[in-house]
């Protein structure tokens, strides 16, 4: 009698993983680089979509097996980090992951010069550790090579590469920076007609979004838009009975009680570093109420913005909104004294522990606070002395940090605080003569804007994966671990595919590339500069956010680390295990 289980064992898991990665890589490589082709995507009852966007292609690939789909879903989830932060680098991340995993998993022969340093008997966890260490080391080197945006021409070059040489779009984006400065925050939206246009706001931005999609009030933009809200700031996670009671009191007073009494609701936004699962007793009834209201075409004006890990930014925002923050106390005695003086909230007074702004607009990963209360002198459009003093103080701290030679992390934190505080905001609406044209232009604009904003904040370097390639080329001259050669040779293969695409070639590896492709790579090695595939020259025009290659490397480390350390797969049930003999 046969016994069947839901367990897929190591050998089969490895074979299927290799096959899935190869299929996905072969699909994505068709769109790789400026000469890549579009992919047509068809869904039921929707007109076909044509796209070159790697992440869009990835999430529309489907498999008939549970194991294969789970691999694709994990890749989609991990690469979404690229899309959120620097625009599209999905194709590079997946191709590089596939090339590295193939080398590790098949124990392919290394370069003869480095054969003695390969050790294929390392435990998978040690391989993962070495890869993570190498990525960290390379990322620090890449970050040390960053160049600050000096002119709007730098922005134009980055936008031009990101939009696949779309001069009109690059001019539009660089023009926004020219008019509004490098601290501008740009949100790309779809226009309802064929025209491109912009709307300008003033306010602040946070690198955090709504905690649940139920808070969305604008379905078209997938944003929670709360006008004239009371804004509450929790310095610490909402994970203790007292903090949860504060949270509950705000919701009851501003939302639930007015609903019950048929009174006007108080638009409410709560911002915090984190919430615990213990908050479910409060959130579940609220979510149910909000869903019922949506079913009746009514949006409840409430939003929770969590995962705000930069406390300094949270405090800056609270100050500008004229809010008192809610924090935990170690000493109960001190808390009681502060409550008596009115310096700490109670359950009865917590509803007044808030600030205000004209509006809060939260997306899935960004939140805009429009015209916080103390940003302008009352009744004018002139910045307040309070706001200017905050900015001046931060800029003095940044100047001193540079002068004192502080580490890049400290300097980066100060830059982010200034960027959040100074961010005048532009909504960029992208149009098109047809829905298909609009969607393609929107994808290009969104990638370019994310890359430009990242470059404005963190600096820029070479595009086309060359900033990282240069680092690994230097490391490969004197490799101290076998993993260096694995990654370097995988980068050579990646460049062969990229450069080959301009000649109508898709070599599987560097060794199979034509002499012309190898000459292009040789030029890149000699000049340490990417070849501009539009001109065929190493002309210094291929630029990208310095974070682009770092983000790709982070994803590669996560993907490859996960794959090499996973030794079995459990299907939902034995019936789903189609991989048994």
């Amino acid at each position: 009698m046969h016994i069947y289980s839901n367990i897929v064992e190591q050998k089969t898991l490895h074979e299927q993983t290799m096959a899935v990665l190869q299929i996905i890589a072969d699909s994505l490589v068709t769109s790789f680089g400026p000469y890549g082709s579009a992919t047509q995507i068809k869904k039921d009852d929707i007109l076909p979509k044509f796209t070159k966007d790697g992440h869009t292609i990835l999430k529309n690939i489907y498999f008939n097996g549970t194991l294969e789909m789970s691999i694709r879903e994990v890749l989609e989830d991990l690469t979404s980090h690229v899309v959120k932060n620097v625009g599209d680098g999905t194709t590079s991340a997946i191709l590089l992951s596939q090339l590295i995993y193939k080398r590790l998993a098949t124990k392919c022969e290394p370069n003869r010069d480095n054969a003695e340093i390969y050790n294929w008997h390392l435990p998978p966890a040690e391989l993962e550790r070495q890869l993570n260490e190498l990525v960290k080391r390379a990322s620090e080197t890449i970050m040390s090579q960053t160049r600050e945006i000096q002119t709007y021409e730098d922005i134009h070059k980055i936008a031009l590469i990101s939009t696949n040489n779309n001069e009109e779009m690059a001019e539009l984006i660089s023009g926004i920076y020219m008019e509004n400065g490098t601290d501008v925050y740009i949100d790309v939206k779809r226009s309802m007609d064929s025209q491109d246009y912009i709307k300008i706001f003033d306010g602040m931005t946070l690198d955090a979004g709504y905690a649940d999609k139920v808070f969305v009030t604008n379905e078209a933009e997938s944003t929670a838009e709360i006008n004239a809200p009371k804004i509450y700031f929790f310095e610490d996670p909402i994970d203790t009975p007292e903090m949860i009671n504060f949270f509950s009191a705000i919701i009851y007073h501003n939302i639930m009680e007015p609903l019950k009494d048929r009174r006007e609701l108080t638009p409410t936004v709560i911002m915090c570093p984190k919430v615990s699962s213990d908050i479910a007793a409060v959130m579940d009834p609220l979510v149910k109420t909000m869903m019922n209201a949506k079913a009746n075409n009514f949006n409840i004006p409430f939003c929770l913005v969590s995962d705000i890990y930069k406390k300094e930014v949270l405090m800056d925002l609270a100050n500008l909104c004229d809010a008192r923050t809610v924090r935990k106390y170690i000493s109960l005695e001190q808390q009681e004294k502060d409550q008596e003086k009115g310096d700490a909230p109670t359950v009865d007074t917590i509803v007044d522990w808030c600030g205000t702004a004209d509006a809060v607009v939260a997306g899935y990963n960004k939140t805009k606070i429009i015209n916080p209360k103390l940003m302008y002198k009352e009744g004018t459009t002139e910045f307040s002395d309070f706001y200017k003093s905050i900015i001046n103080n931060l800029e003095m701290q940044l100047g001193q940090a540079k002068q004192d030679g502080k580490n890049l992390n400290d300097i980066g934190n100060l830059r982010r605080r200034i960027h959040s505080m100074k961010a005048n905001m532009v909504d960029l609406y992208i149009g098109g003569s047809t829905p298909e044209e609009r969607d393609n232009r929107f994808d290009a604009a969104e990638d370019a804007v994310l890359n430009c904003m990242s470059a404005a904040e963190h600096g820029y370097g070479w595009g086309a994966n060359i900033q990282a390639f240069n680092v690994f080329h230097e490391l490969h001259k004197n490799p101290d671990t076998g993993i260096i050669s694995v990654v370097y040779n995988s980068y050579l293969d990646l460049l062969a595919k990229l450069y080959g695409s301009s000649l109508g070639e898709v070599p599987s590896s560097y060794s199979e590339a034509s002499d012309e492709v190898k000459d292009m790579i040789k030029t890149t090695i000699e000049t340490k500069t990417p070849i501009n595939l539009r001109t065929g020259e190493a002309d210094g025009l291929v630029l990208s956010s310095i974070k682009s290659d770092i983000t790709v490397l982070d994803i590669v480390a996560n993907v490859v680390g996960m794959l090499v350390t996973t030794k079995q797969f459990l299907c939902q049930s034995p019936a789903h295990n189609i991989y048994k003999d």
Side-chain angles (χ1 to χ4, degrees):
M1 177 181 176
H2 290 290
I3 298 176
Y4 296 104
S5 76
N6 66 332
I7 302 171
V8 180
E9 296 183 349
Q10 180 178 349
K11 183 175 182 294
T12 303
L13 173 61
H14 164 71
E15 291 171 350
Q16 294 305 112
T17 300
M18 290 284 286
V20 169
L21 287 176
Q22 189 65 59
I23 290 170
I24 292 175
D26 288 345
S27 176
L28 293 180
V29 79
T30 63
S31 68
F32 195 29
Y35 287 99
S37 304
T39 294
Q40 181 179 354
I41 300 170
K42 183 69 175 80
K43 291 188 175 182
D44 291 342
D45 302 321
I46 299 177
L47 287 172
K49 176 182 175 70
F50 293 82
T51 183
K52 285 185 59 183
D53 182 75
H55 198 259
T56 301
I57 296 170
L58 174 65
K59 66 185 182 182
N60 282 283
I61 295 173
Y62 294 93
F63 295 94
N64 63 344
T66 299
L67 190 161
E68 292 85 353
M69 272 306 296
S70 73
I71 294 170
R72 197 278 283 162
E73 288 165 354
V74 168
L75 294 178
E76 179 189 345
D77 180 61
L78 290 174
T79 53
S80 65
H81 181 56
V82 182
V83 179
K84 291 177 184 178
N85 291 280
V86 293
D88 188 37
T90 298
T91 301
S92 292
I94 297 297
L95 292 179
L96 194 56
S97 297
Q98 186 262 340
L99 291 166
I100 292 173
Y101 179 68
K102 182 178 179 181
R103 274 190 160 78
L104 292 175
T106 59
K107 300 185 173 75
C108 78
E109 287 298 318
N111 286 352
R112 292 177 183 175
D113 293 344
N114 298 301
E116 71 279 359
I117 65 167
Y118 273 71
N119 182 356
W120 296 115
H121 303 292
L122 288 174
E126 177 61 17
L127 275 176
E128 180 185 34
R129 187 195 68 77
Q130 286 191 14
L131 180 59
N132 286 333
E133 289 274 334
L134 178 60
V135 165
K136 180 182 177 183
R137 182 174 160 194
S139 296
E140 288 173 351
T141 303
I142 291 169
M143 203 63 214
S144 71
Q145 297 168 349
T146 187
R147 291 174 271 172
E148 289 189 26
I149 296 290
Q150 298 292 335
T151 69
Y152 297 112
E153 184 61 26
D154 295 333
I155 290 288
H156 182 270
K157 291 175 184 176
I158 294 167
L160 195 61
I161 293 299
S162 295
T163 59
N164 200 15
N165 226 47
N166 186 322
E167 185 66 45
E168 178 189 7
M169 191 74 70
E171 285 286 347
L172 178 63
I173 293 168
S174 60
I176 292 173
Y177 278 92
M178 191 174 296
E179 291 292 325
N180 298 276
T182 55
D183 292 310
V184 67
Y185 174 83
I186 306 172
D187 194 6
V188 184
K189 300 173 181 287
R190 288 175 174 83
S191 172
M192 292 297 102
D193 55 36
S194 61
Q195 301 300 310
D196 301 331
Y197 63 94
I198 64 173
K199 291 183 179 179
I200 300 174
F201 309 91
D202 280 317
M204 291 184 63
T205 59
L206 282 173
D207 289 326
Y210 50 68
D212 194 301
K213 201 167 182 180
V214 73
F215 303 134
V216 169
T217 58
N218 184 334
E219 296 291 344
E221 301 293 343
S222 193
T223 54
E225 300 179 4
I226 314 296
N227 293 318
K230 287 189 174 181
I231 311 174
Y232 298 84
F233 298 88
F234 285 73
E235 288 186 38
D236 302 304
I238 304 176
D239 58 2
T240 63
E242 181 180 53
M243 298 292 265
I244 292 172
N245 284 340
F246 286 150
F247 183 82
S248 177
I250 294 167
I251 291 173
Y252 180 75
H253 183 275
N254 291 357
I255 305 295
M256 304 304 279
E257 187 178 44
L259 274 174
K260 180 182 175 184
D261 298 340
R262 297 181 180 276
R263 293 186 284 110
E264 184 177 357
L265 308 186
T266 301
T268 302
V269 175
I270 296 176
M271 298 190 173
C272 64
K274 188 180 178 182
V275 294
S276 75
S277 57
D278 296 331
I279 209 169
V282 182
M283 284 298 296
D284 289 352
L286 174 64
V287 168
K288 184 177 179 181
T289 300
M290 294 184 78
M291 292 178 70
N292 288 336
K294 281 178 181 288
N296 291 289
N297 298 315
F298 174 67
N299 287 314
I300 290 176
F302 175 84
C303 184
L304 171 64
V305 177
S306 60
D307 297 334
I308 305 172
Y309 296 114
K310 297 293 182 183
K311 187 172 182 178
E312 301 90 345
V313 173
L314 186 75
M315 297 300 291
D316 290 338
L317 180 53
N319 288 332
L320 206 55
C321 290
D322 196 23
R324 293 178 288 180
T325 58
V326 185
R327 62 187 177 90
K328 295 176 181 176
Y329 276 81
I330 297 174
S331 168
L332 182 59
E333 180 182 354
Q334 183 61 51
Q335 183 178 17
E336 290 174 347
K337 287 181 180 179
D338 285 350
Q339 285 174 337
E340 288 175 7
K341 294 186 295 182
D343 293 335
T346 66
V347 170
D348 294 327
T349 64
I350 187 67
V351 292
D352 298 319
W353 227 257
C354 60
T356 58
D358 283 357
V360 171
V361 180
Y364 68 97
N365 69 328
K366 294 279 186 184
T367 298
K368 298 184 289 189
I369 300 87
I370 297 171
N371 297 341
K373 180 180 178 180
L374 299 181
M375 190 167 194
Y376 295 98
K377 291 181 179 179
E378 191 171 353
T380 73
T381 57
E382 182 184 350
F383 288 130
S384 67
D385 292 338
F386 178 72
Y387 173 73
K388 287 188 282 190
S389 70
I390 293 176
I391 295 296
N392 290 339
N393 182 52
L394 288 173
E395 289 180 337
M396 285 175 60
Q397 289 184 50
L398 177 59
Q400 191 63 50
K402 289 179 177 178
Q403 186 177 324
D404 294 345
K406 291 286 184 69
N407 64 53
L408 290 172
N409 188 52
D410 290 341
I411 291 173
N413 285 336
L414 284 167
R415 279 182 177 151
R416 280 187 285 276
R417 287 179 68 186
I418 293 170
H419 180 74
S420 276
M421 291 288 287
K422 291 177 70 174
N424 49 322
M425 298 173 231
V426 170
D427 283 350
L428 170 59
Y429 288 83
I430 299 297
S433 56
T434 65
E436 175 193 319
E437 182 189 18
R438 181 197 61 193
D439 288 348
N440 287 334
R441 295 182 77 244
F442 172 86
D443 287 343
E446 187 175 48
D447 285 351
V449 162
L450 285 169
N451 205 321
C452 288
M453 287 199 299
S454 179
E457 182 177 355
H458 303 287
Y460 69 94
W462 297 125
N465 302 288
I466 298 305
Q467 199 71 42
F469 174 75
N470 288 341
V471 171
F472 285 105
H473 180 71
E474 291 301 314
L475 290 172
H476 185 252
K477 291 177 180 178
N478 294 291
D480 49 18
T481 64
I483 198 74
I484 290 176
S485 290
V486 169
V487 175
Y488 175 69
N489 287 320
S490 298
Y491 263 106
L492 280 176
D493 294 347
L494 185 70
L495 276 186
K497 293 177 187 293
L498 176 62
Y499 288 171
S501 68
S502 67
L503 304 173
E505 303 176 21
V506 187
S508 61
S509 65
Y510 171 78
S511 62
E512 294 185 8
S514 67
D515 289 342
E516 192 171 353
V517 169
K518 288 179 179 177
D519 285 342
M520 294 168 75
I521 294 175
K522 181 181 178 183
T523 298
T524 287
I525 291 172
E526 291 172 348
T527 63
K528 298 185 178 181
T529 306
I531 300 293
N532 185 341
L533 298 183
R534 294 290 183 186
T535 64
E537 303 292 334
D539 52 20
L541 298 179
V542 181
L543 305 178
S544 183
S545 166
I546 197 69
K547 282 285 189 176
S548 296
D549 285 6
I550 292 173
T551 305
V552 167
L553 281 170
D554 283 342
I555 290 166
V556 169
N558 284 325
V559 171
V560 176
M562 174 195 68
L563 295 178
V564 298
T565 57
T566 301
K567 296 303 177 186
Q568 65 177 4
F569 178 83
L570 304 182
C571 301
Q572 302 97 307
S573 70
H576 287 86
N577 187 0
I578 61 175
Y579 312 97
K580 53 186 179 288
D581 294 332

